[in-house]
Amino acid sequence: MDKLIKGLHHITSMAADAQKNNDFFTKALGLRRVKKTVNFDAPDVYHLYYGDEIGTPGSVMTYFPFGQMPNGARGSGEVGVTEFAVPRGSLGFWADRLASHGVSDLQNDRFLNEDRLTFSGPDGDSFAFVETETEGRIPWTADGVAQDVGILGFHGARFRLRDAAATGELLSFMGYQKDEKDGSVTRYRIEDGNAARTIDLEEVPQASPARQGAGSVHHIAFAVEDRTAQLAVRKALMDTGYQVTPVIDRDYFWAIYFRTPGGVLFEVATNEPGFDRDEDTAHLGEALKLPTRYEPHRAQIEAQLPPLDQ
């Protein structure tokens, strides 16, 4: 599997209200909604994608807004923090902007020589902005967010686990290298991929198991270039004893899924074909796009979905 995983592809979470979720990511965070579609398994629920101009792998946060679902409970066996990369010197801008949008729990800290701003999303989601080099990434600029402060994509993610050893071995098998450690947190980093390259494993041996709900990460997806690489990864995982799903067509990428030793659901997604396969780049995320099997039921599905402003 060496060199096949390229870093993060996307992170998918759950929310209680589609409009509040949309407003937070497009207005408070200034990301672009690059796709408005539905959950493949529950077509009465949106699947919303936010990212840079074209939804570059490593930049895309996605959500299932399951109506008025209760909030999740933080604990072990989950992605505890989703980390976005922002340009150096921009945390002051973000602290002011987030406060003006009513965002709570703003705290500055420093981890492994990186300046961070942690905050909560509308459903209690745990986020961090991490100052870093741009590495050629170009943020989406809108609603008062300029290029010199805009979100570049993901920096990485932090897992909360009772025992991090087995998940660390899995990450190493996937091509991640064990990096620095600070207290109960160990960093794993992947090289020669995209810039969304870090996974931090935090050991919380006394924590109760997390309970998924609004504000919880549903799964975290890792990027591979194409379907050939994906099949190689799938074979390597299965040869090691993991139970991996068949390849599933998600319209904008192909996906496989498996559960990790720590309980986190992993996806491996292809960089192809991308979010512009059914929409012009200038109009990404505007129209409701449906999986082919649901297109004959469009009128019924549209009637069930709540209204959603751009």
Side-chain angles (χ1 to χ4, degrees), residues 75-78 160-165 202-210 262:
S76 63
E78 67 172 350
R160 304 182 79 236
L161 307 168
R162 284 190 172 183
D163 184 345
E202 179 181 6
E203 285 199 321
V204 288
Q206 306 304 318
S208 299

Side-chain angles (χ1 to χ4, degrees), residues 247-258:
V247 176
I248 301 172
D249 183 357
R250 295 303 194 197
D251 282 351
Y252 311 108
F253 46 85
W254 283 271
I256 57 175
Y257 302 87
F258 64 102

Side-chain angles (χ1 to χ4, degrees), residues 24 100 104 115 124 132 152 154 204 218 220 243 252 256 275 292:
F24 178 74
S100 72
S104 62
D115 290 317
T132 186
L152 302 167
F154 292 122
V204 288
H218 183 274
I220 183 168
Q243 300 297 311
Y252 311 108
I256 57 175
F275 294 103
T292 302

Side-chain angles (χ1 to χ4, degrees), residues 221-238:
F222 297 83
V224 291
E225 287 294 348
D226 52 34
R227 297 185 69 186
T228 299
Q230 184 182 63
L231 290 174
V233 169
R234 184 175 186 270
K235 182 179 186 304
L237 288 167
M238 294 183 69

Side-chain angles (χ1 to χ4, degrees), residues 10-246:
H10 65 271
I11 297 176
T12 295
S13 292
M14 296 179 288
D17 183 272
Q19 190 64 62
K20 288 181 180 178
N21 180 259
N22 183 87
D23 290 349
F24 178 74
F25 281 92
T26 62
K27 296 179 181 178
L29 299 193
L31 293 175
R32 185 183 195 188
R33 192 177 76 203
V34 295
K35 194 61 59 179
K36 180 173 69 169
T37 181
V38 295
N39 186 312
F40 269 76
D41 301 313
D44 59 335
V45 175
Y46 282 117
H47 193 177
L48 305 175
Y49 293 74
Y50 312 100
D52 64 10
E53 181 182 14
I54 60 172
T56 304
S59 79
V60 181
M61 188 84 204
T62 97
Y63 270 86
F64 301 133
F66 283 104
Q68 297 302 314
M69 75 183 311
N71 281 6
R74 302 284 77 83
S76 63
E78 67 172 350
V79 178
V81 184
T82 298
E83 301 171 339
F84 293 101
V86 294
R88 295 197 185 281
S90 64
L91 290 186
F93 165 86
W94 282 110
D96 292 342
R97 182 179 177 87
L98 293 175
S100 72
H101 281 270
V103 176
S104 62
D105 302 331
L106 292 164
Q107 294 187 31
N108 288 95
D109 67 15
R110 190 169 173 82
F111 178 73
L112 296 181
N113 298 314
E114 294 171 338
D115 290 317
R116 298 157 52 91
L117 175 68
T118 63
F119 59 97
S120 297
D123 293 294
D125 330 50
S126 294
F127 297 117
F129 282 150
V130 183
E131 287 192 349
T132 186
E133 301 298 331
T134 60
E135 298 192 60
R137 295 194 282 182
I138 300 174
W140 177 248
T141 55
D143 293 314
V145 180
Q147 184 169 321
D148 61 347
V149 295
I151 295 172
L152 302 167
F154 292 122
H155 179 270
R158 178 174 294 188
F159 299 178
R160 304 182 79 236
L161 307 168
R162 284 190 172 183
D163 184 345
T167 300
E169 290 179 5
L170 170 61
L171 291 173
S172 296
F173 182 65
M174 292 170 62
Y176 282 78
Q177 299 174 9
K178 191 174 183 179
D179 201 349
E180 298 179 82
K181 183 174 183 178
D182 186 342
S184 61
V185 182
T186 303
R187 169 157 292 179
Y188 288 78
R189 179 188 302 272
I190 201 160
E191 302 297 340
D192 302 321
N194 60 35
R197 63 170 62 92
T198 67
I199 299 292
D200 293 340
L201 304 184
E202 179 181 6
E203 285 199 321
V204 288
Q206 306 304 318
S208 299
R211 185 184 73 248
Q212 287 209 331
S216 300
V217 171
H218 183 274
H219 63 267
I220 183 168
F222 297 83
V224 291
E225 287 294 348
D226 52 34
R227 297 185 69 186
T228 299
Q230 184 182 63
L231 290 174
V233 169
R234 184 175 186 270
K235 182 179 186 304
L237 288 167
M238 294 183 69
D239 287 348
T240 309
Y242 284 94
Q243 300 297 311
V244 187
T245 67

